[in-house]
Amino acid sequence: MIKKIININKSEPYKKFISKYEAAINANQKNVEAFVISSFDKKNQEVDSRFVNLKYIIDDEWVFFSNYDSPKSQQFLDHDQITSVFYWPNIDTQIRIKSKIKPSSKEISDTHFINRDKEKNALAICSKQSEKVLSHDDFLFKYKHTLETEDLKKRPEYWGGFSFFPYYFEFWYGHEKRLNKREVYQLNKTDWIKFYIQP
């Protein structure tokens, strides 16, 4: 589940997201915090996607964590627009979100890191995410050494949060005859414009 939802924005798309999130939990949806995030790789001129876990929503700021030296982090820094997709099959609901993204504050990153399990922190400290390794056993040796020797409450500078700020939501509701309902909210300065699009 999402770790914390703090003073969430009171606008309609946020209320709708929380309503569907709670419905998914009540329907025993596994990995309800997992979502696909897509970014643009300017160097290779291609779109890239992966799953990450949403940890916090603070007003209109949505937060997950990563290695800042990873390819995806570089993509976020080079091109600050992303698209995210949640899909909860237990309630047949998909939520697409377009956002602007930037590194989270040091306060958010430090607070989250110091409260994590030591095993997760050891992994964050020792992993040069996505770099080649001779074998998985070599990496496991490095991980165990880190677990035994490093200060596991001290966050490394190369690891922390990313915060994204939505400007577009699409709520997709599945229908057995493909008459899917698609409800859109688009931010216009400070107002959310609501409309529907065809299946």
Side-chain angles (χ1 to χ4, degrees), residues 145-164:
H145 179 74
T146 301
L147 193 59
E148 294 167 358
T149 62
E150 294 287 342
D151 179 356
L152 300 177
K153 293 298 182 181
K154 183 179 179 182
R155 179 180 66 88
E157 288 295 317
Y158 51 81
W159 190 95
F162 275 99
S163 297
F164 60 97

PDB file of all heavy atoms in Angstrom, residues 145-164:
ATOM      1  N   HIS A 145      28.343  -7.709   2.226  1.00  0.00           N
ATOM      2  CA  HIS A 145      29.422  -6.905   2.812  1.00  0.00           C
ATOM      3  C   HIS A 145      28.891  -5.541   3.254  1.00  0.00           C
ATOM      4  O   HIS A 145      29.223  -5.063   4.351  1.00  0.00           O
ATOM      5  CB  HIS A 145      30.551  -6.737   1.789  1.00  0.00           C
ATOM      6  CG  HIS A 145      31.695  -5.907   2.300  1.00  0.00           C
ATOM      7  ND1 HIS A 145      32.605  -6.379   3.222  1.00  0.00           N
ATOM      8  CD2 HIS A 145      32.053  -4.619   2.016  1.00  0.00           C
ATOM      9  CE1 HIS A 145      33.478  -5.437   3.492  1.00  0.00           C
ATOM     10  NE2 HIS A 145      33.177  -4.354   2.782  1.00  0.00           N
ATOM     11  N   THR A 146      28.073  -4.917   2.427  1.00  0.00           N
ATOM     12  CA  THR A 146      27.472  -3.625   2.764  1.00  0.00           C
ATOM     13  C   THR A 146      26.591  -3.754   3.993  1.00  0.00           C
ATOM     14  O   THR A 146      26.620  -2.899   4.900  1.00  0.00           O
ATOM     15  CB  THR A 146      26.640  -3.093   1.579  1.00  0.00           C
ATOM     16  OG1 THR A 146      27.483  -2.964   0.445  1.00  0.00           O
ATOM     17  CG2 THR A 146      25.995  -1.758   1.901  1.00  0.00           C
ATOM     18  N   LEU A 147      25.800  -4.799   4.055  1.00  0.00           N
ATOM     19  CA  LEU A 147      24.887  -5.032   5.176  1.00  0.00           C
ATOM     20  C   LEU A 147      25.643  -5.134   6.493  1.00  0.00           C
ATOM     21  O   LEU A 147      25.149  -4.693   7.547  1.00  0.00           O
ATOM     22  CB  LEU A 147      24.093  -6.322   4.910  1.00  0.00           C
ATOM     23  CG  LEU A 147      22.867  -6.625   5.763  1.00  0.00           C
ATOM     24  CD1 LEU A 147      21.823  -5.516   5.656  1.00  0.00           C
ATOM     25  CD2 LEU A 147      22.256  -7.953   5.345  1.00  0.00           C
ATOM     26  N   GLU A 148      26.852  -5.660   6.448  1.00  0.00           N
ATOM     27  CA  GLU A 148      27.630  -5.890   7.673  1.00  0.00           C
ATOM     28  C   GLU A 148      28.539  -4.727   8.049  1.00  0.00           C
ATOM     29  O   GLU A 148      28.932  -4.603   9.220  1.00  0.00           O
ATOM     30  CB  GLU A 148      28.482  -7.150   7.493  1.00  0.00           C
ATOM     31  CG  GLU A 148      27.660  -8.429   7.373  1.00  0.00           C
ATOM     32  CD  GLU A 148      28.478  -9.617   6.895  1.00  0.00           C
ATOM     33  OE1 GLU A 148      29.690  -9.428   6.627  1.00  0.00           O
ATOM     34  OE2 GLU A 148      27.919 -10.720   6.767  1.00  0.00           O
ATOM     35  N   THR A 149      28.875  -3.850   7.103  1.00  0.00           N
ATOM     36  CA  THR A 149      29.926  -2.861   7.370  1.00  0.00           C
ATOM     37  C   THR A 149      29.499  -1.399   7.261  1.00  0.00           C
ATOM     38  O   THR A 149      30.168  -0.523   7.805  1.00  0.00           O
ATOM     39  CB  THR A 149      31.110  -3.068   6.405  1.00  0.00           C
ATOM     40  OG1 THR A 149      30.662  -2.863   5.049  1.00  0.00           O
ATOM     41  CG2 THR A 149      31.683  -4.467   6.561  1.00  0.00           C
ATOM     42  N   GLU A 150      28.411  -1.098   6.571  1.00  0.00           N
ATOM     43  CA  GLU A 150      28.048   0.302   6.315  1.00  0.00           C
ATOM     44  C   GLU A 150      27.070   0.846   7.346  1.00  0.00           C
ATOM     45  O   GLU A 150      26.345   0.092   8.015  1.00  0.00           O
ATOM     46  CB  GLU A 150      27.420   0.424   4.922  1.00  0.00           C
ATOM     47  CG  GLU A 150      28.369   0.123   3.778  1.00  0.00           C
ATOM     48  CD  GLU A 150      29.390   1.218   3.545  1.00  0.00           C
ATOM     49  OE1 GLU A 150      29.180   2.357   4.012  1.00  0.00           O
ATOM     50  OE2 GLU A 150      30.426   0.929   2.904  1.00  0.00           O
ATOM     51  N   ASP A 151      27.031   2.167   7.478  1.00  0.00           N
ATOM     52  CA  ASP A 151      26.017   2.859   8.274  1.00  0.00           C
ATOM     53  C   ASP A 151      24.723   2.859   7.461  1.00  0.00           C
ATOM     54  O   ASP A 151      24.588   3.608   6.490  1.00  0.00           O
ATOM     55  CB  ASP A 151      26.466   4.291   8.572  1.00  0.00           C
ATOM     56  CG  ASP A 151      25.431   5.061   9.381  1.00  0.00           C
ATOM     57  OD1 ASP A 151      24.337   4.514   9.650  1.00  0.00           O
ATOM     58  OD2 ASP A 151      25.703   6.225   9.721  1.00  0.00           O
ATOM     59  N   LEU A 152      23.776   2.043   7.852  1.00  0.00           N
ATOM     60  CA  LEU A 152      22.583   1.812   7.042  1.00  0.00           C
ATOM     61  C   LEU A 152      21.471   2.830   7.298  1.00  0.00           C
ATOM     62  O   LEU A 152      20.373   2.692   6.764  1.00  0.00           O
ATOM     63  CB  LEU A 152      22.064   0.393   7.282  1.00  0.00           C
ATOM     64  CG  LEU A 152      23.061  -0.716   6.927  1.00  0.00           C
ATOM     65  CD1 LEU A 152      22.504  -2.078   7.271  1.00  0.00           C
ATOM     66  CD2 LEU A 152      23.453  -0.645   5.450  1.00  0.00           C
ATOM     67  N   LYS A 153      21.756   3.848   8.097  1.00  0.00           N
ATOM     68  CA  LYS A 153      20.799   4.934   8.297  1.00  0.00           C
ATOM     69  C   LYS A 153      21.228   6.224   7.591  1.00  0.00           C
ATOM     70  O   LYS A 153      20.498   7.211   7.594  1.00  0.00           O
ATOM     71  CB  LYS A 153      20.610   5.219   9.793  1.00  0.00           C
ATOM     72  CG  LYS A 153      19.929   4.086  10.542  1.00  0.00           C
ATOM     73  CD  LYS A 153      18.508   3.827  10.026  1.00  0.00           C
ATOM     74  CE  LYS A 153      17.806   2.731  10.801  1.00  0.00           C
ATOM     75  NZ  LYS A 153      16.437   2.478  10.285  1.00  0.00           N
ATOM     76  N   LYS A 154      22.421   6.186   6.992  1.00  0.00           N
ATOM     77  CA  LYS A 154      22.928   7.369   6.293  1.00  0.00           C
ATOM     78  C   LYS A 154      22.622   7.258   4.808  1.00  0.00           C
ATOM     79  O   LYS A 154      23.151   6.401   4.102  1.00  0.00           O
ATOM     80  CB  LYS A 154      24.439   7.506   6.506  1.00  0.00           C
ATOM     81  CG  LYS A 154      25.018   8.760   5.871  1.00  0.00           C
ATOM     82  CD  LYS A 154      26.506   8.879   6.129  1.00  0.00           C
ATOM     83  CE  LYS A 154      27.066  10.135   5.469  1.00  0.00           C
ATOM     84  NZ  LYS A 154      28.531  10.248   5.672  1.00  0.00           N
ATOM     85  N   ARG A 155      21.746   8.130   4.317  1.00  0.00           N
ATOM     86  CA  ARG A 155      21.337   8.074   2.914  1.00  0.00           C
ATOM     87  C   ARG A 155      22.462   8.552   2.009  1.00  0.00           C
ATOM     88  O   ARG A 155      23.000   9.642   2.202  1.00  0.00           O
ATOM     89  CB  ARG A 155      20.106   8.969   2.690  1.00  0.00           C
ATOM     90  CG  ARG A 155      19.627   9.001   1.236  1.00  0.00           C
ATOM     91  CD  ARG A 155      18.409   9.889   1.074  1.00  0.00           C
ATOM     92  NE  ARG A 155      18.716  11.283   1.322  1.00  0.00           N
ATOM     93  CZ  ARG A 155      19.149  12.134   0.384  1.00  0.00           C
ATOM     94  NH1 ARG A 155      19.355  11.721  -0.857  1.00  0.00           N
ATOM     95  NH2 ARG A 155      19.384  13.404   0.692  1.00  0.00           N
ATOM     96  N   PRO A 156      22.807   7.758   0.996  1.00  0.00           N
ATOM     97  CA  PRO A 156      23.819   8.221   0.035  1.00  0.00           C
ATOM     98  C   PRO A 156      23.238   9.313  -0.857  1.00  0.00           C
ATOM     99  O   PRO A 156      22.031   9.338  -1.143  1.00  0.00           O
ATOM    100  CB  PRO A 156      24.139   6.954  -0.770  1.00  0.00           C
ATOM    101  CG  PRO A 156      22.934   6.088  -0.631  1.00  0.00           C
ATOM    102  CD  PRO A 156      22.345   6.380   0.715  1.00  0.00           C
ATOM    103  N   GLU A 157      24.081  10.221  -1.312  1.00  0.00           N
ATOM    104  CA  GLU A 157      23.624  11.339  -2.140  1.00  0.00           C
ATOM    105  C   GLU A 157      23.027  10.865  -3.461  1.00  0.00           C
ATOM    106  O   GLU A 157      22.215  11.566  -4.072  1.00  0.00           O
ATOM    107  CB  GLU A 157      24.779  12.308  -2.416  1.00  0.00           C
ATOM    108  CG  GLU A 157      25.204  13.121  -1.200  1.00  0.00           C
ATOM    109  CD  GLU A 157      24.115  14.069  -0.722  1.00  0.00           C
ATOM    110  OE1 GLU A 157      23.468  14.711  -1.575  1.00  0.00           O
ATOM    111  OE2 GLU A 157      23.895  14.152   0.498  1.00  0.00           O
ATOM    112  N   TYR A 158      23.418   9.675  -3.906  1.00  0.00           N
ATOM    113  CA  TYR A 158      22.951   9.177  -5.202  1.00  0.00           C
ATOM    114  C   TYR A 158      21.628   8.420  -5.109  1.00  0.00           C
ATOM    115  O   TYR A 158      21.191   7.786  -6.077  1.00  0.00           O
ATOM    116  CB  TYR A 158      24.012   8.273  -5.855  1.00  0.00           C
ATOM    117  CG  TYR A 158      24.546   7.172  -4.972  1.00  0.00           C
ATOM    118  CD1 TYR A 158      23.832   5.982  -4.801  1.00  0.00           C
ATOM    119  CD2 TYR A 158      25.759   7.322  -4.309  1.00  0.00           C
ATOM    120  CE1 TYR A 158      24.317   4.974  -3.994  1.00  0.00           C
ATOM    121  CE2 TYR A 158      26.248   6.315  -3.496  1.00  0.00           C
ATOM    122  CZ  TYR A 158      25.534   5.141  -3.338  1.00  0.00           C
ATOM    123  OH  TYR A 158      26.019   4.152  -2.530  1.00  0.00           O
ATOM    124  N   TRP A 159      20.962   8.494  -3.977  1.00  0.00           N
ATOM    125  CA  TRP A 159      19.665   7.817  -3.811  1.00  0.00           C
ATOM    126  C   TRP A 159      18.676   8.773  -3.157  1.00  0.00           C
ATOM    127  O   TRP A 159      19.014   9.478  -2.203  1.00  0.00           O
ATOM    128  CB  TRP A 159      19.835   6.567  -2.948  1.00  0.00           C
ATOM    129  CG  TRP A 159      18.608   5.679  -2.911  1.00  0.00           C
ATOM    130  CD1 TRP A 159      18.362   4.589  -3.693  1.00  0.00           C
ATOM    131  CD2 TRP A 159      17.459   5.818  -2.066  1.00  0.00           C
ATOM    132  NE1 TRP A 159      17.133   4.041  -3.380  1.00  0.00           N
ATOM    133  CE2 TRP A 159      16.553   4.784  -2.386  1.00  0.00           C
ATOM    134  CE3 TRP A 159      17.097   6.736  -1.079  1.00  0.00           C
ATOM    135  CZ2 TRP A 159      15.334   4.631  -1.747  1.00  0.00           C
ATOM    136  CZ3 TRP A 159      15.874   6.593  -0.440  1.00  0.00           C
ATOM    137  CH2 TRP A 159      15.009   5.541  -0.779  1.00  0.00           C
ATOM    138  N   GLY A 160      17.449   8.787  -3.676  1.00  0.00           N
ATOM    139  CA  GLY A 160      16.443   9.662  -3.070  1.00  0.00           C
ATOM    140  C   GLY A 160      15.137   9.639  -3.835  1.00  0.00           C
ATOM    141  O   GLY A 160      14.897   8.795  -4.694  1.00  0.00           O
ATOM    142  N   GLY A 161      14.316  10.606  -3.510  1.00  0.00           N
ATOM    143  CA  GLY A 161      12.974  10.636  -4.067  1.00  0.00           C
ATOM    144  C   GLY A 161      12.864  11.410  -5.363  1.00  0.00           C
ATOM    145  O   GLY A 161      13.680  12.277  -5.670  1.00  0.00           O
ATOM    146  N   PHE A 162      11.825  11.067  -6.111  1.00  0.00           N
ATOM    147  CA  PHE A 162      11.350  11.884  -7.217  1.00  0.00           C
ATOM    148  C   PHE A 162       9.904  12.249  -6.932  1.00  0.00           C
ATOM    149  O   PHE A 162       9.116  11.407  -6.483  1.00  0.00           O
ATOM    150  CB  PHE A 162      11.447  11.139  -8.552  1.00  0.00           C
ATOM    151  CG  PHE A 162      12.789  11.246  -9.204  1.00  0.00           C
ATOM    152  CD1 PHE A 162      13.704  10.221  -9.091  1.00  0.00           C
ATOM    153  CD2 PHE A 162      13.134  12.387  -9.921  1.00  0.00           C
ATOM    154  CE1 PHE A 162      14.956  10.321  -9.687  1.00  0.00           C
ATOM    155  CE2 PHE A 162      14.380  12.496 -10.510  1.00  0.00           C
ATOM    156  CZ  PHE A 162      15.290  11.466 -10.397  1.00  0.00           C
ATOM    157  N   SER A 163       9.578  13.501  -7.182  1.00  0.00           N
ATOM    158  CA  SER A 163       8.225  13.999  -6.970  1.00  0.00           C
ATOM    159  C   SER A 163       7.614  14.383  -8.313  1.00  0.00           C
ATOM    160  O   SER A 163       8.257  15.061  -9.111  1.00  0.00           O
ATOM    161  CB  SER A 163       8.239  15.233  -6.061  1.00  0.00           C
ATOM    162  OG  SER A 163       8.738  14.909  -4.779  1.00  0.00           O
ATOM    163  N   PHE A 164       6.391  13.927  -8.533  1.00  0.00           N
ATOM    164  CA  PHE A 164       5.721  14.340  -9.762  1.00  0.00           C
ATOM    165  C   PHE A 164       4.391  15.006  -9.432  1.00  0.00           C
ATOM    166  O   PHE A 164       3.768  14.721  -8.404  1.00  0.00           O
ATOM    167  CB  PHE A 164       5.579  13.191 -10.763  1.00  0.00           C
ATOM    168  CG  PHE A 164       4.793  11.988 -10.323  1.00  0.00           C
ATOM    169  CD1 PHE A 164       3.455  11.849 -10.676  1.00  0.00           C
ATOM    170  CD2 PHE A 164       5.398  10.973  -9.596  1.00  0.00           C
ATOM    171  CE1 PHE A 164       2.735  10.722 -10.298  1.00  0.00           C
ATOM    172  CE2 PHE A 164       4.685   9.836  -9.219  1.00  0.00           C
ATOM    173  CZ  PHE A 164       3.342   9.719  -9.567  1.00  0.00           C
TER     174      PHE A 164
END
